[in-house]
Amino acid sequence: MALQQQTRTSLRAAIANSGAFKELKGLLEMNSVGVASATFSVAAEAANNIDTTIQCKDEFGNNVAGVRSLDINIVGQSGGTGFNANTYTVSATTGAVVEVVASKVLRVLTNSTGQAVIRLTNAGAVTCYLALVLPNGSQTVSAAIAHT
């Protein structure tokens, strides 16, 4: 009889906490189809423009399918810190830049293959990096984007 009571108590506790289980399940499902990392490919400068291709990856390193919303910072250091002091004209040749704050913080939508190409334009000799903020709060940073 004591075992049955203990089982009932455990079941009641599990049911009472089902919201937490549902939330955890939702987070796990979101992460399984979310952006876990990204690759960057920085093109050569042409007419003051440098295009950087960002390809979103899942936790297995596969390209992410579907449009994704990305938060990207234009930073001055390879470690992803320090907003860059320069001003850039920002556009997208693949995907869409939907918001730019002070030429430093971007909200970008990828295309249906999880890819975006960000074009930074600057006539001066300046260097910056793109720092993609991942859903878990960490970031991944591009190679140097150097205008000459």
Side-chain angles (χ1 to χ4, degrees):
M1 190 67 153
L3 183 58
Q4 288 177 339
Q5 181 62 34
Q6 185 179 12
T7 302
R8 272 187 242 136
T9 302
S10 295
L11 285 172
R12 284 189 185 123
I15 291 169
N17 290 320
S18 65
F21 288 121
K22 287 179 185 175
E23 183 179 348
L24 179 58
K25 180 182 178 218
L27 288 171
L28 291 173
E29 288 173 353
M30 181 180 74
N31 191 42
S32 68
V33 295
V35 177
S37 66
T39 58
F40 295 89
S41 177
V42 178
E45 182 177 8
N48 297 327
N49 298 312
I50 299 179
D51 290 349
T52 301
T53 302
I54 303 168
Q55 178 61 60
C56 297
K57 303 285 186 175
D58 65 16
E59 66 271 21
F60 303 109
N62 301 313
N63 291 349
V64 172
V67 175
R68 298 292 189 254
S69 177
L70 308 176
D71 290 330
I72 301 171
N73 299 318
I74 300 175
V75 297
Q77 299 175 11
S78 61
T81 59
F83 282 109
N84 192 284
N86 301 295
T87 301
Y88 298 89
T89 301
V90 181
S91 60
T93 62
T94 301
V97 175
V98 294
E99 183 177 7
V100 179
V101 178
S103 188
K104 308 288 184 255
V105 179
L106 314 176
R107 171 71 46 94
V108 175
L109 295 177
T110 68
N111 66 8
S112 62
T113 65
Q115 185 179 85
V117 179
I118 306 302
R119 174 170 288 169
L120 297 180
T121 304
N122 189 303
V126 296
T127 300
C128 69
Y129 303 83
L130 294 181
L132 170 63
V133 181
L134 297 170
N136 67 4
S138 67
Q139 60 184 359
T140 183
V141 182
S142 72
I145 301 167
H147 288 85
T148 55

